[in-house]
């Protein structure tokens, strides 16, 4: 057994050496959380490399790995550790080591195999089995195991306590035990799996392997050194090597794009559940038919991260991911130091803050436009140990800036924000991120910026401007009737609502200001004054205002909203008609149409009242007849009182008939008046 462990240690040591022979030479990181890793090296004749990956990364490896033998060789099979439990794999070997068997149990499992054991001498024979015996040892009974062998001299029992070594003569069984031990050792780290690459050929050749793996999202941060005459922007890329291999002089490319990337379970073995068909021996005289549909046990989940990204430049596959596989350029590490805190204490005489920032760290990246996505190819080869992070300079360039105080009452009701309009004059795309602002060499505040294309400008704000008082209030509101007409039988009025927002500014610190007012765009309201904003976004109007140090500045924004209000002609009362008539926007034709509709509605109302009164009289008579019949049941038939009740009932029946005839006539008249009004209002349009 000790010999097998030594073999296992040797195998694992060899695997570790293989991994070092195929180092990481290229890394492409995407802002969608994946990275493309390139490993390359040289092989001679037939060669094997063994790499080690986290179990959670195997699915990405199986989905994306590309292996190339670049100089005429061939790529052989790529083998990897199965995901099935170790116990399932161990059961497939001739000797099952699943339950951690004792030596006696293990020998019982290989009965019949020829073995040589050493006590004070070598004893050879075939294993009959191991039995347990007892013997007296003083006052106690001791249990011990005995190995029973069939030797050339006959049966022999050998106490196992006397045996120092065991040697199986069956080489195939020896190999099975060795392989089982290797599997057991691989199970010591359930988080990692070996992947073996095989290359077939003759002579020395270049080989490479590339694959996608999950990586942290690379990030950007900026420092903006703003002076009176010039400004400089320094951008850093923050990258992390969370893998298990060091990056030693690798070609690094950073891509700000969103390629479609998903995870799919290709690693878990899928087993088909076959239908069970019983033998006729166990069934009735007529065979039992079983459903034969096949069911695949699929426990796969797909998570889509990102959206479809644009294609890379011509000749580039996958946003530039493969372009560094075949060659790389030597380079030097970036030079210069980052200056912390205030610049003014570390700037040489005669240098501005921007010049110091520009001279301290040179950009190590060359940015290339990939349409909506863009990339930074780090010019210098990068060295970054595993589980380490680094900041790499990607931009150091002059930018155009102009200072402004930004007032938005939604952000703060009375205090503007110090801000700048930054124009991207770097010539490259800038990925969104935080910006630390230094004003004349002193820390001024923090800001954030979204992706910025070349020549595009963007506002940033980084501090509160406490040197100016500001407020906004709605000071005027008016409602004007523009037009009145009848359209589609409805009384329609056009209103113009107008409101005025007044902004007031007063400087407190004695310095002139350039103020940018951000006024919220409200749906339905149109800008009247000023006629046009200096800038317009999806949600804001922006107005530029100059405020002198010795003045109180007022600025008005006037908006209007034109709406149409409709109401039924017959629902307009006298007061409403008088109000709209006083606006001088209602024509005589409109007034006449309204009055006629009201007259027709009045006729309908009168008939409706008559119908209701007729119904009331009928209900009163019916109730009275019910009372009379109840009284008649209580008196003698033929009596004077009974005859009196009968006479009254006859008179009421006559009146009910008259009321029914009148009700029918009223209903006919009401229907005619309603139809007349409907015909009048139908498609009525008067201006």
């Amino acid at each position: 057994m000790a010999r097998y462990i030594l073999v296992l240690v040797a195998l694992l040591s060899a695997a570790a050496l293989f991994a070092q022979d195929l180092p990481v030479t290229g890394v492409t990181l995407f802002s969608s959380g994946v990275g493309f890793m390139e490993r390359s090296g040289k092989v001679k004749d037939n060669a094997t490399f063994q790499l080690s990956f986290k179990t959670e990364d195997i699915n990405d490896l199986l989905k994306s790995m590309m292996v190339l033998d670049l100089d005429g060789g061939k790529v052989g099979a790529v083998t990897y550790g199965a995901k099935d439990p170790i116990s399932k794999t161990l059961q497939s070997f001739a000797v099952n080591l699943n339950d951690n068997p004792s030596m006696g149990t293990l020998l019982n499992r290989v009965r019949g195999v020829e073995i040589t054991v050493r006590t004070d001498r070598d004893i050879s024979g075939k294993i009959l089995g191991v039995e347990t015996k007892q013997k007296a040892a003083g006052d106690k009974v001791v249990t011990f195991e005995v190995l029973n062998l069939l030797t050339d001299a006959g049966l022999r029992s050998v106490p196992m306590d006397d045996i120092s070594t065991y040697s199986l003569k069956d080489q195939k069984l020896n190999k099975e035990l060795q392989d089982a031990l290797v599997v057991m050792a691989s199970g010591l780290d359930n988080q990692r799996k070996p992947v073996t690459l095989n290359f077939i050929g003759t002579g020395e050749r270049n080989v490479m392997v590339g694959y996608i793996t999950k990586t942290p999202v690379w990030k950007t941060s900026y420092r903006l050194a703003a002076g009176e005459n010039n400004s400089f922007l320094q951008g850093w890329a923050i990258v992390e090597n969370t893998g298990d291999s060091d990056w030693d002089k690798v070609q690094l490319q950073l891509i700000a794009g969103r390629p479609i990337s998903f995870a799919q379970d290709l690693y878990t073995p899928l087993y088909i559940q076959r239908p069970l068909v019983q033998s006729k021996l166990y069934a009735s005289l007529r065979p039992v038919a079983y459903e034969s549909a096949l069911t695949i046990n699929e426990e796969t989940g797909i998570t889509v991260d990102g959206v479809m990204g644009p294609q890379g430049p011509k000749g580039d596959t996958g946003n530039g991911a493969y372009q560094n596989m075949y060659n790389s350029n030597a380079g030097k590490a970036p030079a210069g130091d980052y200056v912390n805190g205030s610049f003014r204490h570390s700037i040489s005489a005669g240098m501005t803050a921007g010049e110091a920032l520009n001279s301290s760290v040179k950009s190590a990246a060359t940015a290339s436009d990939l349409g909506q996505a863009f990339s930074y190819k780090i010019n210098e080869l990068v060295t970054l140990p595993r589980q380490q992070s680094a900041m790499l300079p990607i931009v150091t360039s002059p930018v155009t800036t102009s200072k402004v105080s930004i007032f938005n009452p939604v952000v703060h009701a009375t205090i503007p924000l110090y801000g700048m309009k930054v124009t991207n004059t770097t010539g490259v795309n800038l990925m969104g991120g935080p910006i630390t602002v230094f004003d004349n060499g002193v820390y001024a505040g923090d800001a954030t910026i979204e992706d910025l294309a070349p020549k595009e400008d963007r506002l940033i704000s980084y501090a509160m401007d406490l040197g100016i008082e500001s407020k906004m209030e709605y000071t005027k509101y008016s409602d004007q009737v523009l037009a009145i007409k009848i359209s589609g039988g409805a009384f329609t009025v056009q209103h113009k609502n107008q409101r005025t927002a007044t902004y007031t500014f007063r400087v407190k610190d004695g310095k002139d200001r350039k103020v940018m007012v951000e006024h919220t765009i409200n749906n339905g309201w149109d800008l009247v004054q000023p006629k046009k904003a200096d800038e317009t976004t999806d949600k804001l109007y922006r107005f530029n205002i100059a405020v002198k140090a010795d003045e109180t500045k007022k600025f008005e924004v006037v908006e209007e909203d034109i709406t149409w209000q409709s109401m039924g002609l017959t629902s307009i009362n006298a007061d409403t008609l008088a109000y709209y008539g006083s606006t001088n926007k209602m024509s005589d034709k409109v007034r006449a149409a309204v009055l006629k509709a009201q007259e027709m509605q009045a006729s309908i109302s009168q008939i409706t009242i008559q119908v209701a009164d007729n119904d009331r009289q009928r209900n009163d008579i019916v109730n009275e007849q019910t009372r009379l019949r109840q009284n008649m049941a209580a008196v003698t038939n033929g009596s004077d009182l009974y005859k009196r009740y009968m006479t009254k009932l006859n008179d009421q029946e006559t009146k009910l008939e008259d009321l029914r005839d009148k009700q029918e006539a009223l209903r006919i008249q009401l229907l005619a008046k309603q139809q007349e009004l409907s015909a009048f209002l139908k498609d009525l349009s008067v201006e």
Side-chain angles (χ1 to χ4, degrees):
M1 300 293 284
R3 179 167 63 88
Y4 301 142
I5 295 175
L6 291 175
V7 171
L8 175 62
V9 172
L11 288 173
L12 295 178
S13 299
L17 291 174
F18 286 147
Q20 296 176 6
D21 290 340
L22 204 59
V24 176
T25 54
V27 176
T28 302
L29 299 179
F30 294 85
S31 59
S32 58
V34 297
F36 183 79
M37 303 293 164
E38 305 169 25
R39 294 176 178 267
S40 60
K42 292 183 178 294
V43 299
K44 187 174 183 181
D45 300 331
N46 296 340
T48 298
F49 292 99
Q50 189 176 61
L51 308 176
S52 178
F53 294 92
K54 295 178 181 177
T55 302
E56 63 188 39
D57 295 334
I58 296 295
N59 281 317
D60 281 334
L61 187 76
L62 298 178
K63 178 167 63 74
S64 65
M65 186 172 65
M66 183 176 69
V67 185
L68 298 175
D69 193 322
L70 301 174
D71 297 320
K74 296 181 179 180
V75 177
V78 177
T79 60
Y80 55 93
K83 194 176 183 180
D84 271 340
I86 295 296
S87 58
K88 185 180 178 80
T89 305
L90 289 176
Q91 289 174 4
S92 65
F93 291 103
V95 181
N96 187 359
L97 302 180
N98 248 331
D99 54 353
N100 190 24
S102 65
M103 181 62 75
T105 303
L106 182 62
L107 292 174
N108 268 329
R109 290 178 181 176
V110 293
R111 286 181 297 172
V113 173
E114 191 168 354
I115 190 173
T116 298
V117 298
R118 171 168 293 181
T119 57
D120 54 349
R121 60 189 181 90
D122 289 344
I123 303 172
S124 298
K126 293 184 177 180
I127 300 173
L128 291 175
V130 176
E131 64 176 321
T132 301
K133 292 186 176 183
Q134 294 180 337
K135 65 179 180 180
D139 296 336
K140 298 181 180 180
V141 176
V142 178
T143 301
F144 62 98
E145 291 182 320
V146 176
L147 174 62
N148 296 321
L149 300 175
L150 176 61
T151 67
D152 293 339
L155 296 175
R156 181 160 183 178
S157 296
V158 183
M160 293 184 62
D161 289 343
D162 297 339
I163 300 174
S164 59
T165 60
Y166 302 82
S167 177
L168 299 177
K169 293 188 177 181
D170 189 327
Q171 296 303 316
K172 291 179 62 176
L173 189 58
N174 268 331
K175 187 176 185 307
E176 284 280 295
L177 281 171
Q178 178 177 326
D179 292 343
L181 287 172
V182 171
V183 170
M184 289 182 66
S186 67
L188 295 177
D189 185 0
N190 293 325
Q191 304 302 316
R192 306 197 64 78
K193 293 293 180 181
V195 176
T196 303
L197 312 176
N198 293 285
F199 297 95
I200 304 170
T202 58
E204 190 173 73
R205 309 181 309 283
N206 292 305
V207 298
M208 64 77 55
V209 58
Y211 51 87
I212 295 292
T213 186
K214 180 175 65 176
T215 59
V217 175
W218 69 276
K219 303 170 284 289
T220 53
S221 65
Y222 301 93
R223 291 86 173 117
L224 179 62
E228 294 297 332
N229 301 318
N230 57 61
S231 298
F232 273 88
L233 182 71
Q234 183 184 96
W236 295 81
I238 301 172
V239 298
E240 297 155 301
N241 178 9
T242 58
D244 298 316
S245 299
D246 296 335
W247 297 353
D248 185 13
K249 296 182 179 179
V250 303
Q251 181 66 64
L252 179 62
Q253 186 172 15
L254 308 174
I255 294 183
R258 302 286 291 181
I260 291 179
S261 179
F262 57 86
Q264 183 171 353
D265 192 354
L266 301 175
Y267 190 28
T268 303
L270 302 179
Y271 296 96
I272 296 178
Q273 296 179 350
R274 297 178 296 167
L276 174 64
V277 178
Q278 289 185 346
S279 171
K280 292 183 180 181
L281 179 63
Y282 302 105
S284 62
L285 292 177
R286 285 177 294 182
V288 179
Y290 291 86
E291 184 179 356
S292 60
L294 299 181
T295 302
I296 299 177
N297 180 18
E298 293 182 296
E299 298 178 353
T300 58
I302 298 177
T303 301
V304 176
D305 178 19
V307 295
M308 179 68 73
Q311 295 181 351
K314 185 176 181 181
D316 180 25
T317 304
N319 286 338
Y322 295 117
Q323 65 184 17
N324 303 318
M325 290 181 180
Y326 306 113
N327 52 65
S328 61
N329 299 317
K332 298 180 180 179
D337 298 319
Y338 171 63
V339 182
N340 290 298
S342 171
F343 287 105
R344 63 176 56 181
H345 300 299
S346 57
I347 298 176
S348 300
M351 296 180 67
T352 66
E355 290 169 345
L357 181 61
N358 186 34
S359 64
S360 62
V361 180
K362 295 296 183 181
S363 172
T366 300
S368 61
D369 190 2
L370 298 180
Q372 293 181 351
F374 52 89
S375 69
Y376 296 97
K377 182 179 179 182
I378 306 301
N379 296 328
E380 315 295 342
L381 298 181
V382 175
T383 297
L384 184 62
R386 58 183 175 178
Q387 303 303 319
Q388 296 289 318
S389 304
M391 292 174 54
L392 303 174
I394 54 175
V395 173
T396 298
S397 174
V399 291
T400 301
T401 59
S402 58
K403 295 181 180 180
V404 65
S405 294
I406 305 169
F407 180 59
N408 186 330
V410 176
V411 176
H412 197 284
T414 59
I415 301 176
L417 300 179
Y418 277 124
M420 289 185 188
K421 177 175 285 188
V422 180
T423 303
N424 182 6
T425 54
T426 65
V428 299
N429 285 277
L430 300 178
M431 182 176 168
I435 297 179
T436 299
V437 179
F438 295 88
D439 192 356
N440 289 319
V442 179
Y443 170 74
D446 293 328
T448 60
I449 196 167
E450 296 180 353
D451 292 353
L452 197 60
K455 299 182 180 180
E456 188 179 4
D457 55 45
R458 194 70 47 82
L459 274 178
I460 64 171
S461 58
Y462 53 89
M464 301 183 76
D465 186 354
L466 302 177
I468 182 172
E469 289 182 352
S470 309
K471 70 175 181 177
M472 186 277 280
E473 57 184 346
Y474 283 101
T475 55
K476 298 177 184 177
Y477 186 88
S478 64
D479 181 5
Q480 179 183 357
V481 175
L482 298 181
I484 299 174
K485 64 181 180 179
I486 297 173
S487 177
F491 187 82
T492 305
V493 181
Q494 186 184 42
H495 293 267
K496 180 175 75 172
N497 301 311
Q498 195 172 84
R499 65 184 183 185
T500 301
T502 301
Y503 291 85
T504 305
F505 302 99
R506 185 177 71 85
V507 176
K508 297 189 299 182
D509 61 2
K511 298 179 181 179
D512 294 347
R513 288 290 196 285
K514 293 180 180 178
V515 177
M516 175 176 285
V517 173
E518 290 190 331
H519 184 83
T520 302
I521 297 176
N522 296 283
N523 291 333
W525 291 84
D526 297 322
L527 183 65
V528 176
Q529 177 187 337
K531 293 183 178 180
K532 187 177 180 181
D534 294 298
E535 294 181 17
T536 302
T537 71
D538 290 339
K539 299 179 180 180
L540 297 169
Y541 295 122
R542 287 176 177 157
F543 306 98
N544 295 321
I545 305 168
V547 181
K548 298 294 184 181
D550 56 352
E551 70 172 335
T552 297
K553 184 84 171 185
K554 290 185 179 291
F555 175 75
E556 291 186 340
V557 177
V558 181
E559 299 168 289
E560 68 178 19
D561 175 28
I562 297 177
T563 59
W564 288 91
Q565 178 187 10
S566 295
M567 61 190 82
L569 290 180
T570 58
S571 66
I572 300 176
N573 57 34
D575 292 338
T576 302
L577 188 62
Y579 168 74
Y580 285 117
S582 66
T583 62
N584 296 322
K585 297 297 181 181
M586 187 166 60
S587 67
D588 292 340
K589 291 182 179 180
V590 171
R591 182 186 296 274
V594 173
L595 293 175
K596 182 177 180 180
Q598 289 180 338
E599 290 174 0
M600 297 174 72
Q601 181 62 44
S603 298
I604 292 173
S605 298
Q606 291 176 358
I607 297 173
T608 303
I609 292 173
Q610 294 178 39
V611 170
D613 184 63
N614 198 72
D615 284 338
R616 180 186 56 76
Q617 294 182 51
R618 290 177 61 199
N619 289 333
D620 290 345
I621 292 174
V622 170
N623 292 334
E624 179 65 15
Q625 286 184 332
T626 301
R627 187 186 66 82
L628 290 174
R629 288 188 177 92
Q630 291 174 349
N631 291 340
M632 290 173 66
V635 300
T636 303
N637 189 0
S639 65
D640 292 341
L641 185 57
Y642 185 86
K643 291 177 181 179
R644 182 180 171 186
Y645 286 153
M646 283 296 297
T647 301
K648 196 169 185 176
L649 281 174
N650 288 332
D651 292 341
Q652 288 178 341
E653 283 296 323
T654 300
K655 191 172 183 178
L656 279 176
E657 291 176 0
D658 292 341
L659 289 173
R660 278 194 290 267
D661 293 342
K662 184 179 178 180
Q663 186 78 349
E664 184 62 26
L666 287 172
R667 292 189 184 280
I668 293 173
Q669 187 180 1
L670 179 61
L671 179 61
K673 291 291 185 180
Q674 289 173 337
Q675 290 176 343
E676 182 183 359
L677 178 60
S678 297
F680 175 72
L681 295 178
K682 183 181 179 182
D683 300 327
L684 176 64
S685 295
V686 180
E687 295 186 2

